[in-house]
Amino acid sequence: MYNALLQEGIPLRLISKSIFLVSLPLIAAFHSGKAFASAENEITEQAPPSEHSQPSQFALHTVTTENVVKPILATGTIMAAKSSNIGPKIEGTIEEIYVRVGDRVNAGDALFRTRDVVLRLQKQELAASSALYAAEFRKAKIEFNRVSNLRNKGVASAAQFDTSAAALETARARVDITKSKLAQVEQSLEDAIARAPYTGVITERFVDEGVFISSRASGMGNSAVVQVKKADPVVAVWSIAAKYLPEITLGTKVEIRIDGIPDVIESEIHIINDRIDIASRSIDARSVITNDGYKIKPGLFARAEIFPKPHKVVLLPRSLLRGPPNDPYVLLYEDGKEKRRHLTIRDHNTDSVEVLSGLEAGMRVLPRSHLIDVSDDVVMTRQEGLGN
């Protein structure tokens, strides 16, 4: 090529300059390629090994147990400690009612009175009869003593003695019978006034004066005149799901909130009824509440937080759960292997669940960021190491 250029008459100076200009890019490319190769070698030396040659690190979660007190929520109704519909002990017309709805009464206070005129007349008659029979008894006793003395002297016959003895026994029996009848009338007169059986409040008045009420169960109408309730203390009656029965014991702490009462009331479970409500499958538990001043009214709606004794549970962050909500599972890491483990859970709070079955303390769970998944019956041996 060089000789051809000379034959064309191109000066040597121009030829040399052209060769230099052509060679310059080639030289630059050569040096650039060398520098690139050197940089590539450096990058290759500094890059981390592939996934299969260098362990990857994952944050494993170690399963532990915790002592947890999970409140049990329940609803209920405030009831009076006692409630009685008071009717007359003797039948008759209600003559006078001494109380009104809302009145506070003490045990033994008069509530109402049944008409007792006939009873008072019977008492007068029996009192007179009692006096008459008492006189006859004294006379019969005198006669008996006289005949006894005569018999001892051999003057009175045996027939006379027997007659005087029988008369004395008859007179004594009449006195006793009259005394018994008089006591019955006096008791009826006392029962004509109905009294409060305990300290409480009048919550109902069923009839007014002038109504005839029979004390016998005739099936005709209400036989009660007033209603008395013992409202200090009151009782909160709770309906609690039967599944919580193992956790509810006598003395379990309860925090009570009652409609219309601003304060939270602290109490405990005082009664656990053996009866289970078949319709709702719930247990009947009761808490006694002091009610000074009758601020809490029977019939109010109440809510309770029941605090059973602490118990050990396995808690797991929700972020570790995989699968659908109705069939959750986790990936366990044991002895360099991964395995799927299905769980039975229930809610604990917004961040955690309580594991009822499937996990035990000490097991290690892979995070959700670890995307490798396995089937239920297949385990995979991983080449990379895993650490906490």
Side-chain angles (χ1 to χ4, degrees):
M1 178 180 177
Y2 184 79
N3 291 331
L5 293 174
L6 289 175
Q7 290 176 3
E8 293 293 327
I10 299 174
L12 179 60
R13 182 175 57 82
L14 296 176
I15 294 171
S16 300
K17 185 176 181 179
S18 299
I19 293 172
F20 175 76
L21 293 175
V22 172
S23 302
L24 185 60
L26 296 175
I27 294 171
F30 172 77
H31 286 288
S32 297
K34 184 175 181 182
F36 179 80
S38 175
E40 185 178 14
N41 291 336
E42 183 178 357
I43 292 173
T44 303
E45 293 174 358
Q46 294 179 357
S50 66
E51 182 183 31
H52 296 288
S53 60
Q54 177 68 26
S56 300
Q57 298 297 318
F58 294 94
L60 292 173
H61 175 82
T62 301
V63 178
T64 59
T65 59
E66 297 183 25
N67 281 326
V68 171
V69 177
K70 188 173 183 179
I72 299 170
L73 303 180
T75 58
T77 303
I78 300 300
M79 306 292 288
K82 296 180 180 180
S83 180
S84 303
N85 292 341
I86 308 299
K89 295 181 180 179
I90 60 172
E91 66 180 12
T93 302
I94 302 303
E95 186 89 349
E96 189 175 3
I97 300 177
Y98 305 116
V99 295
R100 298 176 297 177
V101 173
D103 286 352
R104 307 309 199 243
V105 296
N106 295 316
D109 285 353
L111 302 178
F112 59 88
R113 179 174 61 84
T114 306
R115 181 180 174 88
D116 59 357
V117 174
V118 175
L119 291 174
R120 284 189 273 112
L121 292 175
Q122 288 178 354
K123 180 180 179 180
Q124 292 179 5
E125 180 182 353
L126 288 172
S129 297
S130 179
L132 175 62
Y133 293 140
E136 291 181 353
F137 172 74
R138 290 194 296 272
K139 180 180 177 181
K141 188 174 183 180
I142 293 173
E143 180 65 17
F144 175 76
N145 291 334
R146 187 179 68 82
V147 172
S148 295
N149 291 331
L150 292 175
R151 174 132 184 238
N152 292 334
K153 295 177 181 179
V155 176
S157 65
Q160 290 176 322
F161 177 81
D162 292 341
T163 300
S164 64
L168 178 62
E169 292 299 324
T170 301
R172 180 183 289 112
R174 286 174 178 172
V175 169
D176 292 341
I177 291 173
T178 304
K179 183 184 293 185
S180 177
K181 288 182 177 180
L182 184 58
Q184 290 179 13
V185 171
E186 289 176 344
Q187 183 63 52
S188 294
L189 282 170
E190 184 177 342
D191 291 343
I193 299 178
R195 300 183 181 276
Y198 44 77
T199 299
V201 59
I202 304 299
T203 55
E204 289 281 355
R205 177 168 160 170
F206 301 107
V207 300
D208 292 323
E209 291 86 350
V211 177
F212 180 88
I213 295 182
S214 173
S215 61
R216 293 169 291 184
S218 61
M220 299 182 62
N222 192 347
S223 62
V225 176
V226 296
Q227 183 183 75
V228 180
K229 287 189 176 182
K230 183 176 179 60
D232 182 20
V234 291
V235 178
V237 181
W238 308 115
S239 178
I240 306 172
K243 66 180 180 180
Y244 295 117
L245 182 58
E247 303 179 42
I248 303 297
T249 58
L250 296 178
T252 300
K253 178 184 174 183
V254 180
E255 289 186 356
I256 303 171
R257 292 169 174 82
I258 303 173
D259 286 351
I261 306 298
D263 300 328
V264 177
I265 301 170
E266 293 188 358
S267 185
E268 61 186 55
I269 299 295
H270 292 94
I271 298 173
I272 299 177
N273 197 340
D274 292 325
R275 179 183 62 86
I276 299 293
D277 189 294
I278 298 176
S280 62
R281 302 297 179 188
S282 60
I283 61 177
D284 176 5
R286 308 189 178 200
S287 301
V288 178
I289 305 171
T290 301
N291 188 26
D292 294 334
Y294 297 153
K295 294 180 180 179
I296 304 173
K297 309 300 182 184
L300 287 175
F301 177 77
R303 297 173 297 277
E305 281 189 276
I306 303 171
F307 298 89
K309 293 181 179 179
H311 60 286
K312 287 186 177 295
V313 299
V314 174
L315 296 181
L316 188 71
R318 291 181 184 272
S319 59
L320 298 178
L321 295 177
R322 303 167 184 255
N326 61 343
D327 188 22
Y329 68 91
V330 294
L331 285 184
L332 296 182
Y333 182 76
E334 297 177 349
D335 300 328
K337 299 178 180 180
E338 300 166 0
K339 187 171 184 180
R340 179 186 297 187
R341 180 64 65 90
H342 289 265
L343 309 177
T344 302
I345 63 173
R346 70 180 176 189
D347 290 335
H348 178 68
N349 55 35
T350 56
D351 299 322
S352 303
V353 295
E354 182 179 342
V355 180
L356 303 179
S357 64
L359 288 182
E360 296 178 0
M363 292 181 173
R364 298 192 296 171
V365 179
L366 286 163
R368 289 283 297 273
S369 58
H370 182 70
L371 300 178
I372 300 298
D373 202 354
V374 295
S375 64
D376 294 340
D377 55 354
V378 177
V379 297
M380 293 180 59
T381 301
R382 299 282 290 167
Q383 296 297 325
E384 62 268 19
L386 298 174
N388 287 322

